[in-house]
Amino acid sequence: MNKQSRVLVLDFGGQYNLLVARRVRECGVYCEIKPWSTPLEAVRAFAPDGIIFTGGPATVSEEGAPMIDPAMFALGVPVLGICYGQQLMTHLLGGSCRMACTREYGKAEVTHDGQSALFAGIEPTSVFWMSHGVEVDRLAPGFRACAVTADCPTAAIENPEKKLYGVQFHPEVLHSVHGMEVLKNFLYGICGLKNEWKMSSYSQEAIEECRAKVGGGKVLLALSGGVDSSVAAVLLHRAVGEQLTCIFVDHGLLRKDEGDQVMEAMGVLGVRVIRVNAQKRFLDRLAGVTDPETKRKIIGEEFIRVFEDESRKLGRVDFLVQGTIYPDVVESGVGGESVVIKSHHNVGGLPDHVQFREIIEPLRRLFKDEVRQLGIELGLPESLVWRQPFPGPGLAVRVIGDITEEKLAILRDADAIFREEVANAGLDRSINQYFAVLTDLRSVGVMGDGRTYDYTLALRAVETQDFMTANWSRIPYDVLERVSSRIVNEVKHINRVVYDITSKPPATVEWE
């Protein structure tokens, strides 16, 4: 990546850590997240032009709290500490923190004194998002408070001489009205960076990086047909051409007609794809399994085993490529300090022994919307780039409970109706993800004057920028009514349709 413009985000376990990186990239500055335990030498080697400490659940004074080498503050690199990051900076540089007299959670009015570069061009008082029970008690030498709230006298602090800044609030959260301006002031004004990181440059750099890593080796790519793996396939095809073979595993857990659509789309793009019909193999292993984590791990392992089998038919294969993206990595607790939310079959569900020299994940530094941008840059058709997101384990995690061919058939038909009606209503671009879930709940119904006892189907639709947080979509009632009517009339064994109105958090986007 361009060493003239890069920011390091150190992860202290905060719930918004990925969002911090996302916002930095929205400012046109490349950044990466690394764990707080990253050695000082590795930080030097990364050569950041700015460093951001995320928030975190720990208290700086407690035993075992995440700490860093204080020498990091002497690198001459501007540092912005957010929440725990501000407290850590204070603690390590000679100040102290205490339990706040009044804890702040949610929106708070922050007033700055008009003298800090961090608040340049921002109105004197505005709303920012707070989430803390600890605050700075005594400032470290050389620091001053430059913003306050009614309950927090150190809502922001600074040592402009050393370019060290801290904020108690979370500028990365959308609820912070001028949060992006604070980040831009840090990146552009304090770090001296420019809005210059574009997807076109990332595309070329990623192609060159993959080409250099692969050399003359053979590459096998795990193609699911979703946006992520399709973009990865085209990128690798650009990088190594005929050295790439894509394996499309039809595991029997795809959406309606999806297998044929995938083959047609990749054929147009000139990418070599081998379709493996492995429905029985997967369904046999999943028989009777109800636990979602177990489902994911079984599917992840079986994917790898299928690839190994196919690679033996192809002769020596050196590299396996997967379409893993940044949220997959973070939610799986890989490479950072975040809590594991669920295993992704591309990440946490990998078997211990994989018969390839190396796994390549060219998208693991990108967010979903960035993957779509990359797809457009690479020339993929919009119909493929804007395909609805689909989990690697497929319908296995949208059928709650045990999986049978009958349940899968029911869900395919119901899901197809839902997606069709959303598209017919012109909502398919405004809703970021929408799908149906077949619950394991049966309930009494009435059809044709007769009693039924059939499945309840749940509809899920969310709107989000980064899939780390999401709001449930307010689909018009007439659309929902049409969807429900069609499903109960056209799909056997469903007599009740419900709509999920839970945001993320507390729920995840998928049910399992």
Side-chain angles (χ1 to χ4, degrees):
M1 295 301 154
N2 183 0
K3 290 190 176 182
Q4 297 306 307
S5 182
R6 54 165 52 187
V7 166
L8 174 63
V9 177
L10 284 184
D11 173 13
F12 288 89
Q15 60 180 316
Y16 303 126
N17 56 9
L18 198 64
L19 201 52
V20 174
R22 183 68 195 88
R23 297 292 179 247
V24 172
R25 292 191 191 178
E26 285 178 4
C27 294
V29 176
Y30 181 75
C31 72
E32 289 187 24
I33 300 175
K34 295 184 183 294
W36 61 267
S37 54
T38 300
L40 183 62
E41 286 309 309
V43 173
R44 283 198 181 99
F46 184 76
D49 296 291
I51 299 173
I52 299 178
F53 298 162
T54 70
T59 300
V60 290
S61 58
E62 67 185 13
E63 185 176 353
M67 292 289 154
I68 61 166
D69 188 334
M72 194 174 297
F73 297 110
L75 293 176
V77 176
V79 178
L80 173 64
I82 297 174
C83 198
Y84 179 85
Q86 171 179 284
Q87 297 157 20
L88 177 67
M89 185 184 300
T90 300
H91 177 77
L92 291 177
L93 294 179
S96 63
C97 300
R98 67 180 179 190
M99 298 303 295
C101 296
T102 303
R103 296 183 299 174
E104 293 179 303
Y105 294 100
K107 296 178 181 179
E109 287 194 341
V110 174
T111 300
H112 67 88
D113 61 12
Q115 299 178 39
S116 174
L118 206 57
F119 294 93
I122 298 175
E123 58 191 276
T125 299
S126 56
V127 171
F128 287 87
W129 187 260
M130 289 283 193
S131 181
H132 72 104
V134 177
E135 65 185 13
V136 173
D137 177 33
R138 178 170 49 84
L139 290 168
F143 280 80
R144 73 178 194 91
C146 54
V148 301
T149 70
D151 298 306
C152 179
T154 53
I157 63 174
E158 67 173 3
N159 182 334
E161 181 182 351
K162 295 185 177 180
K163 294 188 176 182
L164 303 178
Y165 298 81
V167 293
Q168 187 58 68
F169 53 82
H170 287 272
E172 70 276 17
V173 176
L174 289 177
H175 298 300
S176 292
V177 176
H178 294 293
M180 283 297 286
E181 284 92 332
V182 168
L183 289 175
K184 287 178 180 178
N185 283 337
F186 176 71
L187 296 170
Y188 304 155
I190 295 169
C191 297
L193 303 178
K194 297 179 180 179
N195 184 342
E196 60 185 7
W197 185 71
K198 307 296 181 185
M199 191 51 66
S200 56
S201 61
Y202 180 90
S203 170
Q204 190 55 44
E205 289 169 357
I207 288 171
E208 292 172 0
E209 185 178 295
C210 290
R211 187 176 293 146
K213 179 175 289 187
V214 171
K218 289 186 178 180
V219 184
L220 190 64
L221 184 141
L223 180 67
S224 71
V227 177
D228 304 333
S229 67
S230 297
V231 171
V234 176
L235 189 146
L236 261 294
H237 182 67
R238 293 278 182 89
V240 300
E242 295 302 313
Q243 294 167 244
L244 170 69
T245 299
C246 295
I247 302 296
F248 171 49
V249 178
D250 187 344
H251 49 22
L253 304 167
L254 300 172
R255 292 171 287 202
K256 192 170 185 178
D257 301 325
E258 190 158 39
D260 295 337
Q261 294 167 2
V262 169
M263 293 301 294
E264 180 181 357
M266 301 317 299
V268 171
L269 293 167
V271 180
R272 182 189 179 203
V273 182
I274 296 174
R275 182 174 183 172
V276 182
N277 294 313
Q279 294 93 328
K280 186 177 186 304
R281 180 170 177 169
F282 278 84
L283 293 182
D284 284 350
R285 281 211 61 190
L286 289 167
V289 176
T290 60
D291 177 67
E293 276 293 280
T294 304
K295 288 180 185 178
R296 288 178 178 272
K297 290 183 181 297
I298 286 173
I299 293 167
E301 180 176 345
E302 202 63 24
F303 258 105
I304 297 296
R305 298 307 170 220
V306 171
F307 297 142
E308 289 174 342
D309 291 346
E310 293 303 315
S311 70
R312 279 191 284 270
K313 298 176 185 177
L314 296 169
R316 181 180 62 86
V317 174
D318 304 287
F319 300 93
L320 172 67
V321 180
Q322 294 189 140
T324 309
I325 65 174
Y326 224 160
D328 296 341
V329 175
V330 174
E331 285 196 342
S332 296
V334 179
E337 301 299 322
S338 301
V339 174
V340 176
I341 298 171
K342 59 187 176 184
S343 294
H344 290 261
H345 88 280
N346 280 354
V347 186
L350 288 175
D352 294 331
H353 304 287
V354 182
Q355 296 176 13
F356 303 96
R357 186 197 307 171
E358 188 177 348
I359 291 178
I360 298 175
E361 296 171 316
L363 309 180
R364 70 181 286 123
R365 293 172 293 191
L366 299 183
F367 297 89
K368 176 67 74 173
D369 61 319
E370 292 175 324
V371 173
R372 295 191 195 279
Q373 292 174 33
L374 179 58
I376 295 296
E377 181 68 30
L378 291 170
L380 273 72
E382 287 202 0
S383 59
L384 189 57
V385 170
W386 290 99
R387 193 184 192 93
Q388 271 292 294
F390 193 54
L395 298 182
V397 291
R398 293 181 180 175
V399 171
I400 309 301
D402 65 314
I403 301 164
T404 66
E405 290 190 26
E406 180 188 43
K407 288 182 178 179
L408 291 169
I410 294 170
L411 180 55
R412 281 192 189 96
D413 288 342
D415 180 72
I417 290 172
F418 183 33
R419 289 187 290 120
E420 180 183 332
E421 290 298 336
V422 168
N424 288 344
L427 302 172
D428 50 325
R429 288 292 182 91
S430 60
I431 302 175
N432 300 100
Q433 190 166 359
Y434 49 95
F435 56 90
V437 175
L438 186 65
T439 75
D440 57 353
L441 173 67
R442 291 188 179 222
S443 63
V444 174
V446 178
M447 288 185 180
D449 296 326
R451 178 185 184 275
T452 63
Y453 189 66
D454 278 323
Y455 289 108
T456 296
L457 184 87
L459 304 177
R460 178 71 159 149
V462 299
E463 295 168 18
T464 177
Q465 286 191 334
D466 46 44
F467 285 88
M468 295 306 296
T469 60
N471 292 320
W472 63 275
S473 183
R474 275 64 171 173
I475 295 179
Y477 288 157
D478 61 326
V479 177
L480 290 174
E481 181 180 25
R482 192 157 55 249
V483 171
S484 176
S485 177
R486 282 194 60 191
I487 288 174
V488 296
N489 280 286
E490 298 176 29
V491 183
K492 293 181 179 179
H493 305 300
I494 294 177
N495 66 0
R496 191 180 300 270
V497 177
V498 298
Y499 187 49
D500 183 349
I501 59 170
T502 318
S503 293
K504 175 186 181 180
T508 54
V509 175
E510 298 284 344
W511 275 38
E512 288 193 345

